[in-house]
Amino acid sequence: MLKRLLLLIGFVGAAWVPAAGQLQFSGTAHTYLYSYEAADGNKRGDFYQGLRFRTWLKDAPQLQLRSYMRVAQRGDPVDWEARWYHGYLRWQPDARVDLRVGRQFLYDGVINATADAFSVTAEPVNDVRLRVVAGLETPRDRAFDILSPDDGYVVGGHASGRIAREARLDVSYFQRTRSDDLVW
């Protein structure tokens, strides 16, 4: 059994070396420490650690994984919390098409949400931009959970186009539900 495990580790390691050479990574990490005195006179401290990154294959930069998340120890009593703000796979085959799947911040016209969604943005002709979005609501505290369709969903579309040199027309629709109640 040990020989098989070592052989498997060897094969995985040998396959990983060329793949790792093709993997590109860009990102930042940040740490914040806050120390303060509350109104009740107690001294407190909060700790935040965040990571923002994007990664792609050297030969396929049009396909990227992007994410931003953070952990924090804060409050009274002190408690750990983790938040996942966005994390999505993005495919941009050319400058006119952008497909995303995963947790993303959506903001176009009346579309304003963070959702675990699929979104497509396209520019079929110059000065005309279209976006379609469909997905699930995210936890309000942006926890690392994915909710079910029964908890809520989002669906929407946005079209924007220049109708004159100084005029642009935007048309958008967005529907957000939570537990079968229309919210937006």
Side-chain angles (χ1 to χ4, degrees), residues 62-66 88-92 98-100:
Q62 66 275 17
L63 182 63
Q64 297 182 0
L65 176 65
R66 295 175 170 223
Y88 57 87
L89 188 61
R90 177 184 188 191
W91 182 48
Q92 196 171 15
D98 188 349
L99 287 87
R100 298 177 185 196

Side-chain angles (χ1 to χ4, degrees), residues 2 4 9 39-40 44 66 85 123 140 153 158 174:
L2 181 60
R4 287 183 186 169
I9 291 171
D40 60 7
R44 297 195 182 122
R66 295 175 170 223
Y85 292 98
E123 291 184 30
R140 291 183 188 175
Y153 65 88
H158 178 259
F174 184 62

Side-chain angles (χ1 to χ4, degrees), residues 26 34 75 81 90 114 134 140 176 184:
S26 173
Y34 294 97
E81 65 181 38
R90 177 184 188 191
T114 298
R140 291 183 188 175
R176 172 193 273 171
W184 187 283

Side-chain angles (χ1 to χ4, degrees), residues 55-132:
T55 186
W56 65 96
L57 293 174
K58 184 178 183 180
D59 294 334
Q62 66 275 17
L63 182 63
Q64 297 182 0
L65 176 65
R66 295 175 170 223
S67 191
Y68 175 62
M69 60 195 80
R70 75 145 169 88
V71 294
Q73 185 181 40
R74 59 189 211 120
D76 185 26
V78 174
D79 194 17
W80 280 98
E81 65 181 38
R83 292 191 177 183
W84 181 30
Y85 292 98
H86 71 260
Y88 57 87
L89 188 61
R90 177 184 188 191
W91 182 48
Q92 196 171 15
D94 60 45
R96 293 180 170 263
V97 178
D98 188 349
L99 287 87
R100 298 177 185 196
V101 63
R103 182 160 298 175
Q104 51 195 296
F105 178 68
L106 307 167
Y107 186 77
D108 275 316
V110 297
I111 300 173
N112 187 352
T114 298
D116 293 323
F118 176 75
S119 72
V120 178
T121 305
E123 291 184 30
V125 295
N126 285 340
D127 292 328
V128 174
R129 184 174 173 267
L130 306 170
R131 183 173 200 179
V132 177

Side-chain angles (χ1 to χ4, degrees), residues 116 135-139 145-154 177-180:
D116 293 323
L136 302 173
E137 273 285 304
T138 57
D145 295 329
I146 296 178
L147 301 179
S148 76
D150 295 334
D151 295 322
Y153 65 88
V154 298
T177 63
R178 285 192 189 127
S179 303
D180 293 328

